[in-house]
Structures are given as structure tokens and as C-alpha cells.
């Protein structure tokens, strides 16, 4: 390792004194021999050794995975990959070994598509990126798939724990040749940024047209949506910005109806990792039976994605059966301003014997009701006054009606887009109830999906 560092240290000095460097006269180091012994052709080993001596990357930076992947290329391909790696901008690349693996993967993809392997694409203006990083004190980590600004930010900006649900926004319709130097000054107006992840297309070298920005608070994320959604960032180019929620929930069908929450938690806990909760719904007329499906809640999106892959593989059986799996629709973050005006309660887990009259009698004690609507084992209770609705929710939540413990939350008024989707889906139903809705934490995946 000391030798490798000396080689690279000397190379950096040479580079500064003798620019441009003529690599054809380079004396090869003992690393060249080591690479040949590892199975690389002599020309490839020599080219890689020359790259070590330019100071772009050190021998100790390359792991076995990168060397193994390079060995799978023919001589011409390996030399092309190394040339591309050498010409890449590595100034913000933290893991150069992983970056080289990314270059190799991109080369393979281009080969399959029959497109040119060497494509020169105008990247970001490095002087502007450098000025941004100096001004803000943030870091930038570049890989072949994304550019990550911050995460965490400098202590002078924010020193708390990583922000949770509701602090991330999705930014779409980004011009493909646009980078952090234009995005950060716009979005930091909304509040301190935790990180900004601009997704990159390795094949074109440009961005994919979208990014994720995590703010240090929910308020800043909501402000970003107000300030930046439909913002004209370039002439005729308007951004699309909305709150993003990492999906941690899976919808699972084909569950035996006699299984309890505990049974399901235990069974799926054996075959997947990171499972934290099971959300189960009982049949309205038989509380001992579930409805044949459930929602699995995982500790993070990565665990949920891995569980989904395992369960969809067909190799994992639960109670001897293959189950159907899909992402649950993400929970939409309610708009605080809208929710502050809601006077309607969503009441669930109602016994079959509960009627609208019984509900009316129970809830009218707290204030004047406009109406009560019961559907299956849940109902909507409309109050004339918001204060009465909140009081009723606080006092009635968890109480028993007709032998069943009820659950109460504020109902959320539907947005226009949701109403349009419902109208299209339920055009043939005359009994549709669309004044208010409430989906408990998870929702069924939409039909005809996946």
C-alpha cells in the first residue's frame, strides 16, 4: 500500500511538472506484474498501470470486483473501457472502483444496443459546481447512476437526525442538460436541503429528467411544492414538483382467511427481513376471518423492495402457497391547510348490527350533525362544527359500539384528480359515495397494474 501511494504521489508531481504527460515513456511499476498475474492481458495491465501513475486512481482503490469484471472483457473492450474511465470527470467521485464498474456496465449496455461506445456529452460547468460547493459547504458524490449533493448537509446548516416521511419532494420535467448549479439556488429558497439526488443516464451522460430532494423539515418540503411546481426553469420548460413518499408497504393477496395478524407477522417474518407490522382487515360479518389479503409494513423502502422480489420469485411459499404481491399505493400526505377545516369523521371497525341511527344517537351528543353515512363496516359522520367533530373524535375513539371497539380519524376531502379517477372507475355504480373518503394507511393497488 505504501508503495502504491508513493507511486501515485510521484505521478501527481510528474503531472504537475511535465503536463501534458507522455504515457508511452512511462516505466511500469510492480502493480503491472500483479495485474498480469491476476489474469489481465499485458496491454490492459499496462494501460491501467499508466492510469495509476496519472494520479486519477490508486492501485489500492480498485477492489477485486472491478479487476474480475475487467478480466471478462476482450482486450479491445477492456482498453476502450479504461480510455472512457480516464476521460471521465472523477473530481467528485468518492468510490472510483464502483465508478469503473459502472463504466463497464454502461459499455455492455451500449454494445447490446449497437450504439457508439464512446460518446462525448457536455457535462455540467465544473466552475459553477465548484463555486456552489464552496458557497454552501455541501459535498457532492458522483456515481454513474446519480449525482448526490449533501446527505448529510454541513453541521452549520442542520445537525439533527435524517428527516422522515413527508420531507422529500420528487422533481420531474428537468431539462436533460441541467445540474445542481441551477437546481440548488431555486430549491434552497424553500428551506435547508438535506440532500439532492439527480438521477443520471450512463448511456447518454445526461440526467434522466428527474431528481429527489429531501429537506430538513416537512414545512420546507411543502414550501418547495408551492414555490417550484410549474416553475419555468428555462424558457418553455416548467418543473413538476410534488411530495414524494418512499413506499414501505406491500399488498399481499391469497392469504388464508383464518390467519390472524400474529400468524401473518410470524410467517412472513421467516421469509423476509425488516418486517415491522401487518395491517389486516376483518370481514364485516365475521371478525374471526380476514378478507383474504393484508398489507406488510417494512422498516424502509429497500427492505420492502427486497421482500417483494423474494415473494414474487415463486420460490418462496407461505403456508404452502405462492402469494400474490404488489406495491400498496403510497399514502398521500394530507394538506395541513385542508385538514384544518375538516368537520367529517371516518369511523371504522363497525359491527354489522350498527345502524346509521345508532351512530347518529352516539355522535349527536357532541354537537349538531349534518348527516351520517354508513358503508359496509365503516361510516362518515358529518358535523356542522369542526370543534364538535374534534371533541367527538378524541372522546369516542377506542370506545365500544355494539361490542366492537371503533377507530376514528378525520376524513380527507378528495382532490379533483381523485374524483376524476373514481368517476371513471365507478361510472356504472349509482351508490358511489364520493363526498369524502378515507383510506387507512395502506391502499389496494389500482386495477390493471403491474
Amino acid at each position: 500500500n505504501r508503495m502504491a501511494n508513493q507511486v501515485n504521489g510521484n505521478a501527481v508531481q510528474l503531472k504537475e511538472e511535465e503536463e501534458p504527460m507522455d504515457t508511452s515513456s512511462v516505466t511500469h511499476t510492480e502493480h503491472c506484474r500483479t495485474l498480469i498475474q491476476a489474469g489481465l492481458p499485458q496491454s490492459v495491465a499496462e494501460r491501467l498501470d499508466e492510469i495509476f501513475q496519472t494520479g486519477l486512481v490508486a492501485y489500492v482503490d480498485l477492489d477485486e470486483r472491478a479487476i474480475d469484471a475487467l478480466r471478462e472483457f476482450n482486450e479491445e473492450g477492456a482498453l476502450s473501457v479504461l480510455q472512457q474511465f480516464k476521460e471521465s470527470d472523477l473530481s467528485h467521485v468518492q468510490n472510483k472502483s464502483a465508478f469503473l464498474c459502472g463504466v463497464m456496465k454502461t459499455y455492455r449496455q451500449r454494445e447490446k444496443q449497437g450504439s457508439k461506445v464512446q460518446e462525448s456529452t457536455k457535462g455540467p460547468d465544473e466552475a459553477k459546481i465548484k463555486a456552489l460547493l464552496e458557497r454552501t459547504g455541501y459535498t457532492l458524490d458522483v456515481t454513474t447512476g446519480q449525482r448526490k449533493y449533501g446527505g448529510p448537509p454541513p453541521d452549520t446548516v442542520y445537525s439533527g437526525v435524517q428527516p422522515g416521511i413527508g420531507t422529500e419532494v420528487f422533481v420531474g420535467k428537468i431539462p436533460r442538460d441541467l445540474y445542481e448549479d441551477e437546481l440548488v439556488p431555486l430549491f434552497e429558497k424553500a428551506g435547508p436541503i438535506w440532500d439532492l439526488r439527480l438521477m443520471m443516464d450512463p448511456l447518454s451522460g445526461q440526467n434522466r429528467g428527474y431528481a429527489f430532494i429531501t429537506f430538513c423539515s416537512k414545512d420546507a418540503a411543502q414550501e418547495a411544492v408551492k414555490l417550484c411546481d410549474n416553475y419555468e426553469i428555462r424558457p418553455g420548460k416548467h418543473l413538476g414538483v410534488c411530495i414524494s413518499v418512499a413506499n414501505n408497504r406491500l399488498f399481499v393477496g391469497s392469504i388464508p382467511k383464518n390467519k390472524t395478524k400474529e400468524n401473518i407477522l410470524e410467517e412472513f417474518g421467516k421469509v423476509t427481513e425488516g418486517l415491522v407490522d401487518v395491517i389486516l382487515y376483518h370481514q364485516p360479518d365475521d371478525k374471526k376471518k380476514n378478507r383474504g389479503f393484508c398489507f406488510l409494513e417494512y422498516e424502509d423502502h429497500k427492505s420492502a423492495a427486497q421482500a417483494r422480489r423474494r415473494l414474487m420469485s415463486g420460490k418462496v411459499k407461505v403456508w404452502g402457497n405462492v402469494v400474490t404481491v404488489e406495491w400498496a399505493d403510497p399514502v398521500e400526505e394530507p394538506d395541513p391547510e385542508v385538514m384544518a377545516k375538516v368537520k367529517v369523521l371516518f369511523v371504522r371497525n363497525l359491527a354489522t348490527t350498527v345502524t346509521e341511527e345508532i351512530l347518529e344517537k352516539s355522535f349527536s351528543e357532541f354537537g349538531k350533525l349534518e348527516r351520517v353515512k354508513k358503508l359496509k363496516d365503516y361510516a362518515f359522520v358529518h358535523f356542522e362544527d369542526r370543534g364538535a367533530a374534534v371533541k367527538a373524535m378524541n372522546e369516542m375513539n377506542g370506545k365500544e359500539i355494539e361490542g366492537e371497539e371503533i377507530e376514528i380519524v378525520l376524513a380527507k376531502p378528495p382532490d379533483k384528480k381523485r374524483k376524476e379517477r373514481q368517476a371513471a372507475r365507478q361510472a356504472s355504480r349509482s351508490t358511489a359515495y364520493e363526498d369524502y373518503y378515507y383510506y387507512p394507511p395502506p391502499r389496494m393497488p389500482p386495477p390493471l397494474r403491474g
Side-chain angles (χ1 to χ4, degrees):
N1 288 4
R2 191 166 71 250
M3 181 70 182
N5 291 334
Q6 284 172 352
V7 167
N8 279 285
N10 294 341
V12 171
Q13 280 186 325
L14 283 169
K15 193 178 179 188
E16 286 169 359
E17 292 163 12
E18 300 174 4
E19 192 81 6
M21 182 179 177
D22 179 10
T23 54
S24 62
S25 60
V26 168
T27 306
H28 293 293
T29 70
E30 90 278 5
H31 298 312
C32 189
R33 202 178 312 113
T34 309
L35 292 168
I36 292 169
Q37 286 170 353
L40 291 180
Q42 184 167 341
S43 61
V44 176
E46 288 175 356
R47 182 68 55 85
L48 194 49
D49 192 40
E50 288 163 15
I51 291 173
F52 293 152
Q53 294 185 58
T54 63
L56 277 173
V57 63
Y59 172 74
V60 290
D61 288 340
L62 288 194
D63 57 25
E64 284 180 24
R65 192 168 69 102
I67 303 296
D68 288 346
L70 197 58
R71 200 166 51 223
E72 289 176 17
F73 282 80
N74 59 30
E75 194 169 334
E76 184 192 349
L79 291 172
S80 294
V81 162
L82 291 178
Q83 186 63 26
Q84 204 172 328
F85 176 70
K86 189 180 173 186
E87 289 173 4
S88 300
D89 179 9
L90 303 174
S91 49
H92 302 293
V93 175
Q94 312 294 332
N95 188 336
K96 290 174 182 173
S97 189
F99 191 88
L100 176 57
C101 288
V103 171
M104 287 188 267
K105 184 179 176 184
T106 305
Y107 184 94
R108 292 270 195 223
Q109 288 172 325
R110 284 203 183 120
E111 268 189 330
K112 277 182 189 173
Q113 292 179 8
S115 55
K116 284 184 183 176
V117 170
Q118 190 59 44
E119 288 181 19
S120 56
T121 309
K122 185 179 176 293
D125 184 328
E126 274 307 317
K128 288 181 179 175
I129 296 293
K130 189 181 177 188
L132 170 71
L133 298 178
E134 284 175 357
R135 174 178 71 79
T136 62
Y138 277 65
T139 55
L140 180 64
D141 183 11
V142 176
T143 65
T144 49
Q146 74 170 12
R147 296 170 62 90
K148 186 182 179 187
Y149 168 85
D155 286 346
T156 50
V157 175
Y158 179 83
S159 55
V161 295
Q162 184 166 351
I165 291 172
T167 57
E168 183 181 81
V169 299
F170 170 82
V171 185
K173 303 181 190 172
I174 299 173
R176 298 301 171 102
D177 58 346
L178 188 145
Y179 298 91
E180 299 82 12
D181 56 305
E182 290 181 73
L183 286 171
V184 171
L186 170 64
F187 281 92
E188 66 185 359
K189 290 175 187 172
I193 292 171
W194 170 273
D195 71 15
L196 183 156
R197 302 185 313 285
L198 180 63
M199 300 301 144
M200 301 298 292
D201 179 1
L203 291 175
S204 69
Q206 294 185 308
N207 76 60
R208 288 184 181 271
Y210 67 94
F212 295 93
I213 304 176
T214 304
F215 287 89
C216 296
S217 70
K218 282 186 179 184
D219 290 347
Q222 283 161 0
E223 185 64 21
V225 175
K226 287 178 189 170
L227 284 177
C228 307
D229 187 31
N230 211 30
Y231 179 84
E232 190 171 10
I233 197 156
R234 295 255 181 95
K237 302 287 184 183
H238 296 80
L239 297 176
V241 184
C242 61
I243 295 288
S244 159
V245 181
N247 202 344
N248 302 351
R249 287 196 185 100
L250 299 179
F251 166 82
V252 181
S254 311
I255 297 288
K257 293 186 178 179
N258 61 343
K259 299 299 177 186
T260 63
K261 177 177 175 173
E262 290 70 29
N263 296 152
I264 296 168
L265 201 56
E266 183 187 353
E267 194 69 14
F268 282 93
K270 288 177 191 170
V271 292
T272 62
E273 290 178 14
L275 180 61
V276 292
D277 195 16
V278 169
I279 300 150
L280 196 63
Y281 296 95
H282 297 103
Q283 295 192 14
D285 53 347
D286 187 351
K287 299 296 178 183
K288 289 179 182 175
K289 287 186 178 177
N290 68 62
R291 294 190 189 173
F293 65 87
C294 71
F295 294 89
L296 304 180
E297 173 87 15
Y298 287 85
E299 60 190 11
D300 53 33
H301 179 71
K302 187 180 177 183
S303 300
Q306 287 173 341
R308 178 174 172 266
R309 275 198 298 274
R310 282 209 73 190
L311 295 168
M312 286 180 77
S313 68
K315 296 172 187 172
V316 177
K317 291 191 174 181
V318 187
W319 297 294
N321 297 317
V322 174
V323 291
T324 54
V325 185
E326 189 46 88
W327 287 111
D329 271 8
V331 181
E332 291 173 28
E333 193 71 12
D335 185 325
E337 289 177 23
V338 173
M339 293 305 289
K341 298 172 186 171
V342 170
K343 300 182 286 185
V344 183
L345 300 181
F346 173 79
V347 186
R348 68 174 289 259
N349 203 35
L350 296 174
T352 320
T353 51
V354 173
T355 61
E356 289 179 358
E357 290 72 27
I358 290 172
L359 289 170
E360 205 169 312
K361 189 178 176 186
S362 302
F363 284 91
S364 58
E365 292 176 23
F366 300 94
K368 196 169 180 186
L369 301 180
E370 285 180 355
R371 62 185 170 130
V372 174
K373 180 73 178 177
K374 188 193 175 196
L375 302 98
K376 297 181 182 174
D377 60 344
Y378 60 92
F380 292 89
V381 180
H382 296 245
F383 280 86
E384 283 189 2
D385 176 63
R386 162 136 178 128
V390 172
K391 189 182 178 189
M393 176 176 70
N394 293 339
E395 293 198 24
M396 290 291 288
N397 191 26
K399 293 278 174 68
E400 279 194 11
I401 297 183
E402 295 286 301
E404 287 292 342
E405 207 173 275
I406 61 170
E407 294 171 24
I408 309 174
V409 290
L410 288 167
K412 183 186 170 190
D415 56 33
K416 286 179 184 174
K417 285 182 184 174
R418 181 181 168 85
K419 273 207 162 186
E420 284 165 14
R421 288 199 304 269
Q422 282 184 330
R425 211 179 289 162
Q426 300 180 338
S428 61
R429 297 187 192 176
S430 58
T431 56
Y433 180 82
E434 294 179 5
D435 291 358
Y436 275 78
Y437 71 88
Y438 180 81
Y439 36 75
R443 282 187 291 146
M444 301 275 281
L448 305 175
R449 177 180 173 184

